[in-house]
Amino acid sequence: MKKIICLVAAALLSLSMLFVGCSDGRDGRDGKDGQNVTIDEIYDKYVAEYGETSFEDFLKEYLSYTDGDLNSASSLRATINRSLMSGVSILTKFAYTSARPLMTSYKVYTGSGAILWLDKIAGDAYVVTNCHVIYDDSSDSVYCEDIRLYLYGQDTAGVNFVLSGNKISNDENYRIPAEIVGASQNYDIALLKVTGSDVLKRSDSVAVSNNKSVTGAMNDSFVSDASACVGETVYAIGNASGEGMSAASGIVAKDSENIYVGLSTLDKNSSYSYRVLRTTAPINHGNSGGALYNTSGKIVGIVNAKDEGEDVDNMGYALPANMVRRLVVSIYDSYVANGNKPISGPNGEKCGFKKAMLNVQTSVADSFARLNEDGIAVITELVKVAKIDGAPAAGVLRVGDILMSAKLTSADGTVKEDIAITRNYCLSEMLISARVGDSLTLRIERGKTQTDVSLKFEASYFKYMV
């Protein structure tokens, strides 16, 4: 049975917010939850008992920190604070018109985003977030037409803007209007564009990457590895509970799994399957669309969901970096090729993108885990062709072929992707990078012989994806 996971966007109705609840009596033997004690409180008690000492000396004495530990902690602190300056809080205002009686009402939702590319002189930026932050199929527009971004330090309700009766006001000095470049319900990712913002011009905000090229910055913002390893330290930057940007740390608990999430308001029985990584970093409503970073400040995922089961603790999910990286570049390329407008589908869909179809179904013939030279447990899957549904795979691949590697080359001979197919998702996600005219070379094992097969992507092999 599919388990439906909760998205972590938050609805703001007037001045009330949708919070994740918790109650006493589950975690403590005395019927009360444990109390949080901060390192600052311990330091204060230490000084009161032993006299004045620097915080650094206290850490060395009390926690046996070395100078190297302190330098690492200071470096991580600076990295996290830089990431705060790349984050944005998002408010989306949707309109809903009823037929009887004829009237229009509004709802405001909160979310998060990360600035991937920034031109402060022009006040321009590209921001990644979740599709579900800017999408509601029960609204008049389906995709939000009033998207407002707020920078760290300018995103506090009651201070930088006022929410009253689902009306956003008094934010003239802080709001950054954004428009949709493209979005995907299938992957729960959206790309937003900011043009000529005076707020950005006068800010100290930064992008995740310093690359001057838009696609270069999009590629550089994310880790290049296929996935983050289990046990890796990560931190989430997001608009937790709609209270403004904040940071929360944890580890990668699982490097890849699939969850099922309902995105539609109109059809409660529909759901999408998303490949995600799991993290122990605390995830709350409003974190949707915010980035999950490694200790180097690179994005390892975009937060989109959490498990809110009654007996579940700290099971948050993020869409993995390699998939998101490919998708935002694809959405951006489609937008530019369409005259700087989101592309539409054959049935009136909007804001989607086109993905290359191989028309082949794969399955896992075998799987195992081994420790690599760095002591990391790496899962390897033996991926085979299970079914061929048509061109371009027909006549090139055969049922039973083992897929070993894939290389994607553009028409001018540039190698765009060159990957080992070690997991069942590798090939499908790599195809997000394919464009018309690209060539795909697959190393396969057929019988007991390894060989290369190739095909070229024609325009008819691409499908419009929502």
Side-chain angles (χ1 to χ4, degrees):
M1 180 179 179
K2 295 179 180 178
K3 183 174 183 180
I4 306 299
I5 304 298
C6 297
L7 298 168
V8 287
L12 298 185
L13 304 179
S14 299
L15 296 179
S16 64
M17 288 179 284
L18 176 63
F19 291 100
V20 180
C22 61
S23 59
D24 288 342
R26 288 180 52 199
D27 303 321
R29 294 183 181 181
D30 59 356
K32 297 182 179 180
D33 294 339
Q35 301 297 309
N36 292 327
V37 179
T38 68
I39 191 65
D40 291 323
E41 291 171 337
I42 298 174
Y43 170 62
D44 290 340
K45 291 182 179 179
Y46 184 91
V47 170
E49 183 169 350
Y50 298 103
E52 288 294 332
T53 185
S54 71
F55 188 71
E56 289 76 11
D57 288 340
F58 157 73
L59 290 175
K60 291 179 182 179
E61 177 69 24
Y62 186 79
L63 296 179
S64 300
Y65 272 35
T66 65
D67 287 335
D69 294 329
L70 293 175
N71 289 336
S72 296
S74 177
S75 176
L76 178 57
R77 181 179 62 191
T79 300
I80 292 173
N81 278 271
R82 187 184 189 282
S83 298
L84 278 170
M85 301 298 285
S86 300
V88 293
S89 296
I90 300 178
L91 293 184
T92 53
K93 183 178 180 180
F94 290 88
Y96 305 83
T97 301
S98 60
R100 297 180 181 179
L102 184 62
M103 61 179 295
T104 300
S105 59
Y106 299 90
K107 291 181 182 178
V108 177
Y109 294 84
T110 67
S112 307
I115 301 172
L116 302 181
W117 175 87
L118 175 65
D119 181 346
K120 276 181 53 179
I121 295 177
D124 299 344
Y126 284 96
V127 175
V128 64
T129 188
N130 286 141
C131 178
H132 74 258
V133 170
I134 50 94
Y135 171 86
D136 184 347
D137 59 357
S138 69
S139 70
D140 293 351
S141 59
V142 179
Y143 285 98
C144 188
E145 296 178 347
D146 186 352
I147 304 171
R148 308 183 188 195
L149 315 182
Y150 301 86
L151 300 175
Y152 180 63
Q154 300 179 344
D155 56 355
T156 303
V159 176
N160 305 116
F161 56 86
V162 174
L163 284 172
S164 177
N166 290 309
K167 179 181 179 181
I168 312 169
S169 61
N170 296 351
D171 66 344
E172 293 80 6
N173 294 327
Y174 306 108
R175 70 170 178 253
I176 303 173
E179 61 182 291
I180 299 171
V181 172
S184 172
Q185 300 164 42
N186 282 277
Y187 292 96
D188 197 19
I189 286 295
L191 185 65
L192 308 178
K193 180 181 181 180
V194 175
T195 304
S197 167
D198 289 333
V199 177
L200 279 179
K201 290 177 184 178
R202 64 175 182 261
S203 75
D204 286 332
S205 58
V206 296
V208 178
S209 168
N210 292 323
N211 197 306
K212 301 301 181 183
S213 160
V214 176
T215 56
M218 290 177 179
N219 281 309
D220 290 349
S221 296
F222 299 88
V223 294
S224 58
D225 301 328
S227 61
C229 67
V230 174
E232 181 175 6
T233 298
V234 291
Y235 58 91
I237 299 292
N239 183 18
S241 292
E243 296 289 341
M245 300 299 293
S246 60
S249 64
I251 63 168
V252 173
K254 192 170 185 179
D255 67 346
S256 181
E257 62 183 306
N258 282 80
I259 61 172
Y260 295 90
V261 177
L263 209 63
S264 173
T265 303
L266 296 177
D267 185 359
K268 298 296 185 180
N269 294 319
S270 71
S271 65
Y272 287 95
S273 174
Y274 298 123
R275 188 178 78 82
V276 294
L277 60 83
R278 189 195 306 172
T279 179
T280 63
I283 302 300
N284 294 282
H285 290 289
N287 272 114
S288 279
L292 188 71
Y293 296 87
N294 65 11
T295 56
S296 297
K298 292 277 191 177
I299 298 175
V300 301
I302 297 298
V303 172
N304 78 320
K306 68 178 297 184
D307 192 329
E308 290 188 336
E310 183 178 350
D311 297 320
V312 175
D313 290 319
N314 281 4
M315 288 181 66
Y317 304 98
L319 302 156
N322 244 14
M323 183 279 291
V324 179
R325 172 185 62 80
R326 290 163 170 149
L327 186 58
V328 293
V329 172
S330 179
I331 289 173
Y332 173 76
D333 286 348
S334 297
Y335 174 81
V336 172
N338 196 41
N340 289 341
K341 296 184 296 183
I343 65 172
S344 299
N347 299 316
E349 309 98 332
K350 57 183 180 179
C351 299
F353 74 105
K354 290 185 176 181
K355 181 185 176 183
M357 295 286 109
L358 196 55
N359 284 318
V360 61
Q361 297 180 33
T362 61
S363 63
V364 177
D366 192 14
S367 64
F368 55 89
R370 288 177 178 160
L371 291 174
N372 66 13
E373 61 274 10
D374 296 320
I376 304 301
V378 178
I379 295 175
T380 300
E381 296 172 343
L382 196 65
V383 181
K384 72 174 183 179
V385 176
K387 184 180 179 182
I388 297 173
D389 297 318
V396 178
L397 293 172
R398 298 177 188 173
V399 172
D401 286 347
I402 302 298
L403 304 178
M404 304 182 69
S405 65
K407 181 165 67 173
L408 188 67
T409 307
S410 63
D412 64 4
T414 301
V415 176
K416 299 168 65 175
E417 301 264 7
D418 193 354
I419 65 167
I421 301 176
T422 57
R423 302 290 288 269
N424 198 25
Y425 58 77
C426 288
L427 182 58
S428 175
E429 291 186 2
M430 191 200 76
L431 292 178
I432 297 173
S433 296
R435 306 288 185 269
V436 175
D438 288 353
S439 297
L440 177 67
T441 300
L442 295 168
R443 170 61 60 92
I444 64 171
E445 184 179 290
R446 181 175 292 166
K448 295 185 178 180
T449 303
Q450 292 187 14
T451 186
D452 290 341
V453 296
S454 298
L455 55 89
K456 188 175 182 178
F457 287 109
E458 301 173 6
S460 60
Y461 300 151
F462 287 77
K463 178 181 178 182
Y464 183 86
M465 303 283 287
V466 294

